[in-house]
Amino acid sequence: MANDIALAVRDIRKKFGPLEVLKGISLEARRGDVISLIGQSGSGKSTLLRCINYLETPDSGEIIVGDEVIRARPVRGRMSRADRRQLELVRRRLGMVFQNFNLWAHMTVLENIIEGPRHLLGLTRDQAVAEAEQLLEKVGIREKRDSYPSRLSGGQQQRVAIARALAMNPEVMLFDEPTSALDPELVQEVLQVIKGLAAEGRTMILVTHEMALARDISSEVVFLHQGLVEERGAPAEMMSNPKSDRLRQFLRMVA
Amino acid sequence: MDSKWELLGWGDAGWGDQLLHGFMMTIVVSLIAYAMSLTIGLLAALSKLSARRMLRGIANTYTTIVRSLPELLVILIVYFSLVGGAEKLLKSLGLVSDRFEFSGFWAAVVALAFVNGAFMTEVMRAGILAVPKGQTEAAEAIGMPRALLFRRIVLPQMLRHSVPGLGNLWLAITKESAVVAVLGTFNELLFTAYRAAGVTKEYGLFYSVVAAAFLLISLVSMAIIHRIEKRVGRGF
Amino acid sequence: MISDILQFLPPLIKALPLTLMLTAVAGTLGLFFGIILALARISGYRILVWPSFTLGLVMRGTPLLVQLYLVYYGLGELLPGTWVRHSWLWPYLRNAIWYAILVLTISQACYNAEVLRGAILAVPKGQIEAARAVGMSPGRIFRRITLPQAFHAALPVLASDVIILLKATSLASTVTIMEVLGTARALQRETMMILEPLIAAAIIYFVVVLILTQLTSLLERKATSYRAR
């Protein structure tokens, strides 16, 4: 059973100055699981996601991808060469989609997508382009392949960002509020893509404010409050029958 | 008037060929010093943004001091340290032969590059900081090593942000190259005119010609910079 | 070495007032003429625009040192042949300091003009329309609305241009003026010490620039206090 675990988060703690943002959080995602992290802003859910691929370094706790434990322990912002190398390799197995897309502004859509496969996975340009075209097809913006990101709508940019993450063929996808920066009319096109990935059986960790999405695709919903897990469980059960007052309040607020 | 034109002619009677040589030297010195200051600026900018306190300290000291001193003074200090200390050091280390001497040319190049490297540092630092943090995070998130990340993501965008600053520094370095005439160690444009004027007593004539030559360099440079800015402004 | 450097500080500090005087005079006059040049540039009258544009291009497109040599040696060659030679002005005109002030002032005026021109053009059109709507005269609009805002916007660059000017006054040492760097070079020759007088001069410049930087940032904070932070 152990190698069925795609991602494990063990007792992660994180402080920003005096402020304790994460007070010991654990998660476990088996292959094909979709875990949604919900909670008010400031609850620590984005920080938790960013700790998983070490964009924020946790103060303590463990991140385990497949059966590999991330070793990095930077001292004053610096880490050993070996640890950095390990982290780079682990990150390639984790796809990340950001709230603000973060496409590389000086590269076209296609160049954004083939950048990683070519330079990190060692694909030839032709191979990378062939795969990129399939991905563009999948997220539905094949005709934009030679445009620069600044020419795209937010929804299109986010779909490119998803394709860019998928191009690395990651074992787990991490989504950090993927629709929060979008105009309301553009949200659906991105949600459709995310739903499609869930239906394929992708392992995903998702920070979101879209309760309908969380209910539809999650195998587990985790409600964070002030850096702790307040409640967790199956989505339908949790949302229709919240046990804690805070979750009930939260659901009423976002509804 | 005829005799004045003769003074600018070729051959023994005229200074035209020497002035043209000086003109070329000014451009060559500026180009090499500019290339060197790009390197210095990049290294110092990366040091300033580095996590190592030592590197940050060295880079900050360098830019703070150099930028608050007159260019002429820094050029004199660098020049005299080069011909004094650095020469001795290189000889005692056995890296160069005993007859080695810094040529006036290289002393001028190093001095100019040293001064402008400090200003270049600020341009490049600002350029690096102008690359949105999210874009470097996105590269980190797919496991890009730092060197590749810098080359593929930061450098191209940073250069684009820095074009106006880089252009200004090129204009500045061509004009500053005149200051090395004070060293009197090699025949760039102003020093050539200085000698010509001293011999012929035609100060107004020669310094006007030099001013016109520098103006020409500036105008051509400005036109080229303008075109680069326009081209770079396209696309994203 | 350190005591050698220290021994050079007193004579160099004595030369500091001259450096500061050059900076103050060329800075003040340069600002005054800079405003005039900026106005000429945006006046729309071709007879004003062209000369001010050309002057700016030439002064900013050529090295200050070349300008200084041209004026100092060029006029020095020209003037003795004219009436000036026999006038009461002559004894004064033989002093290089006037040439230095002349060149530094015009140069400073041209750099200031460029900054001010940009700042004046950047004042929002809506504010000028609003002033016109309440019936202000064009002159009054310029004095009360445009210039104060342009000045505030230009202040940081104007201030850093003063520091650049202070450093540029050292070029006057090349035409016999005994300001700080000129004095340092004389001390070099007298004492046959090469680096020590220069380093002493560097210390003085560094301290003065440090003080000036602090002063200007103080000034800026005051001048921009009306803006939202």
Side-chain angles (χ1 to χ4, degrees), chain B residues 67-70 175 203-204 211 218, chain C residues 60-62 77 111 167 202 206:
Chain B
R67 292 192 311 141
S68 57
L69 299 183
K175 286 187 282 175
Y203 298 102
S218 290
Chain C
R60 295 186 301 117
T62 58
E77 163 199 0
Y111 282 100
K167 298 195 282 169
F206 185 78

Side-chain angles (χ1 to χ4, degrees), chain A residues 50 91-92 104-106 115, chain B residues 135 137 140 143 152 236:
Chain A
R50 290 166 60 83
R91 278 174 171 168
R92 287 172 202 180
W104 298 310
H106 60 302
E115 179 68 18
Chain B
Q135 291 190 34
E137 278 189 353
E140 279 173 28
R152 301 284 307 170
F236 63 87

